[in-house]
Amino acid sequence: MALVSSLAALSLLQNEGGVPVKALVFKPKTAKSQDPVPIIVIAEATTQTPSSVIADIAEVKDPRLAKDDLTQLFFATTAVQFGLGHLNPDNASKCKLVLDINIENASDDKVYELKDNDSKLLISARTLKDFLCSLSNNILVANFIALAEKKPAQKPAAPKKDKSVGKLDDAKLIGVTVDKNLDFPGWYQQILTKGEMMDYYDVSGCYILRPASYAIWERIQEYFDKKIKKLGVQNAYFPMFVSSKVLEREKDHIEGFAPEVAWVTRAGSSELEEPIAIRPTSETVMYPYYAKWIRSHRDLPLKLNQWNSVVRWEFKHPQPFLRTREFLWQEGHTAHLTFEEANKEVLQILDYYVGIYEELLAVPVVKGKKTENEKFAGGLFTTTCEGYIPTTGRGIQGATSHCLGQNFSKMFNISVENPDGADKPKLFAWQNSWGLSTRVIGVMVMVHSDNKGLVIPPRVSQYQVIVIPVGITSKTTKEEEQKILATCNKIEGKLRQTDLRVTSDYRTNYSPGWKFSNAELKGIPLRIEVGPKDLQKNTVVAVRRDDFTKTIISLDTFEKEIPDLLEIMQAEMLARARAKFDSHRIIVDKWEDFVPALNRKNVLLSPWCGDADCEDDIKDSSAKKDDEDDEEEDEKAPSMGAKSLCIPFEQPELKAGQKCVKCDRLAIQYCMFGRSY
């Protein structure tokens, strides 16, 4: 390789280490009639290199990390294996080179560490810069930090939103005061805080999960943990900190997270010698130890799962549960001997995620596969379950299960001897990763809740039943009051014996009506009212939170009827949500029908050619040109175009000669498109 032959003699082998350098290949958006011009970014490993800055400095549009087809064409290597050693004056002349200003301004004797496959090369900054100058005399120097912090040009101020537009006429201060359909962001904020699901923290983008929401997460943990342990998955815990050198090992993967990585640079009053990242995900944390622990094919499969938190320092309009700087999740990481084993597990885990949404949260989802543009960076393919928020007409990613192929095992040398004999080549493990986060709670809230408060499915609610005494007035005798309260206590105790989660409200300083509203605000699925007239009839009144249906239940049979009623409620919540999703998931074959259907709050199944540039064109061409009616201060708001949500596993039948919805190529499959969170 050019770099090795040019610089090996100058390597500073006496040094223990240097500052790691990364070399990244980006492909800008290019007209189909033109050849792409790769952009090579050379930067210190800890420098964040957002694509928006690269676009500005290189004067290109929408640069993305290049895939293997481009790197094979220009450099005869894969995107993962690309390094400075693959550059020479010939191929460099066909590229644009962007150099980190930290390298440009480095003292001549500063030591840098370059990678050449599995070996390291230590060279001085002067030698590195001389080598780059030998490749091109037109190197662009980028101050990534300054450019990233540069304030964008201000758009004309949007007209101020009339806060009274979404206000509910009969709203009480205790409850929700804005209409879900008229002010969805304001409604969502109120529903979570007044329903006591979360509270705001003094660090922007971080939130407190109150017991009501954490109880939902515990139900999900119980369900999923039981499922994966039957597959042989074991729970473990790895540290949250990762060194910059380890993080850099899988550059194509981590570059997608780079703008969101939080770094620890100080301990007390002292600067750290090497910055330490807080994990945005754990591939680079865990896989060096998989390579250490997996020595034989008999050590496979290795299946580990973590219940932990990760930090992604989001800068764009954080939203509780949906986009936060720290969030809880589980992340499973498994290694297998064969692709068949890995593929089977990927689909099995996806089914478990569907079960969480549909069996626990009563939220319907569509299973499918992500496009190449949308798949997990560095993976072979990504499967997903996609939900739908009826009020906004936007899709939302529910959970993903990735087959990583052998990309990571080759990077981290997770390999074993061939079971067919020592004379056969060694085998690299086939790996999967899969994850689901507390985003599920936000999805559930947005799908089911209403203007009176939260609506929580019985299977996950912190409390499934609340018992409230009614009809106690100044005229009620002490004996009657004691009988009502004793009956309430009896109901509580009997229901707990059936494993229901029960609470009560016996406070005397609030009226029954106030207690009803409070229980509705918190989304408790079933309210049991016990009053003197009910006792005379040996009955109680059960009121469902989802549709306010009242049912008269005998005190002789309530232990059976109430659990049955909760199961009916669970099933009907799913059925209603599914009906809304099904009625807004429509087939659109012609482009002239695409945007109008999208604007009617639909997600669309459209024939598609499979081309990544066409996918980008669909997104650009379907963006709203007039945002006057869209006042959400969010760059991911519906004014954005339709992105590919997934390629559904259940496919409509393509007609003979069916063309792509956007271009003249033949369609190869239907893809689900929609505006999304």
Side-chain angles (χ1 to χ4, degrees), residues 25-41:
V25 184
F26 286 82
K27 177 185 177 183
K29 189 172 184 179
T30 309
K32 296 174 185 176
S33 59
Q34 299 178 349
D35 293 327
V37 177
I39 302 166
I40 313 299
V41 176

Side-chain angles (χ1 to χ4, degrees), residues 23 53 71 73 153 182 193 226 239 242 271 327 354 431 575 587 603 605 646 659:
V53 173
T71 56
L73 177 64
L182 299 179
T193 52
K226 185 177 179 180
V242 53
E271 295 286 342
F327 56 88
V354 172
Q431 291 181 262
I587 294 177
V603 293
L605 280 168
C646 72
K659 293 290 185 69

Side-chain angles (χ1 to χ4, degrees), residues 264-329:
V264 179
T265 59
R266 295 175 64 89
S269 59
S270 303
E271 295 286 342
L272 297 182
E273 291 184 8
E274 178 187 0
I276 302 295
I278 300 175
R279 62 176 170 227
T281 181
S282 295
E283 282 77 8
T284 54
V285 177
M286 299 171 73
Y287 294 169
Y289 297 91
Y290 278 43
K292 177 181 179 181
W293 298 334
I294 297 172
R295 293 301 185 187
S296 163
H297 66 87
R298 298 176 187 85
D299 297 326
L300 295 172
L302 176 60
K303 303 180 180 183
L304 299 182
N305 176 67
Q306 291 196 93
W307 294 96
N308 59 6
S309 69
V310 291
V311 172
R312 296 178 186 173
W313 208 255
E314 293 268 9
F315 288 97
K316 296 178 181 178
H317 193 65
Q319 291 177 286
F321 296 113
L322 302 184
R323 198 156 65 241
T324 63
R325 288 180 170 172
E326 180 190 15
F327 56 88
L328 299 178
W329 76 345

Side-chain angles (χ1 to χ4, degrees), residues 3 17 28 35 56 71 112 278 281 283 318 331 372 392 406 423 485 511 514 589 676:
L3 182 60
D35 293 327
D56 289 343
T71 56
Y112 282 112
I278 300 175
T281 181
E283 282 77 8
E331 52 176 322
E372 285 298 303
T392 60
Q406 296 175 306
D423 58 324
L485 296 177
S511 68
W514 190 97
D589 292 336
S676 71

Side-chain angles (χ1 to χ4, degrees), residues 445-484:
V445 168
M446 291 191 294
V447 168
H448 296 304
S449 301
D450 59 26
N451 287 339
K452 288 188 177 295
L454 295 163
V455 180
I456 304 177
R459 291 181 184 171
V460 294
S461 184
Q462 180 185 21
Y463 297 113
Q464 297 165 299
V465 178
I466 182 168
V467 180
I468 300 178
V470 299
I472 300 175
T473 69
S474 58
K475 296 181 181 180
T476 304
T477 67
K478 200 67 176 176
E479 183 181 350
E480 288 175 325
E481 181 178 350
Q482 290 300 324
K483 187 175 181 181
I484 292 170

Side-chain angles (χ1 to χ4, degrees), residues 150-158:
K150 188 177 179 181
K151 189 174 182 180
Q154 290 189 348
K155 297 180 181 179

Side-chain angles (χ1 to χ4, degrees), residues 563-610:
D564 291 346
L565 189 57
L566 289 169
E567 283 301 299
I568 292 170
M569 177 179 170
Q570 180 86 27
E572 291 183 355
M573 287 180 67
L574 175 60
R576 280 196 300 272
R578 192 184 298 283
K580 288 181 181 179
F581 195 177
D582 289 347
S583 65
H584 285 275
R585 190 169 68 253
I586 63 175
I587 294 177
V588 173
D589 292 336
K590 298 179 180 179
W591 180 252
E592 56 263 33
D593 300 327
F594 191 96
V595 176
L598 195 67
N599 291 340
R600 292 194 297 270
K601 297 184 178 181
N602 294 310
V603 293
L604 312 179
L605 280 168
S606 293
W608 179 53
C609 61

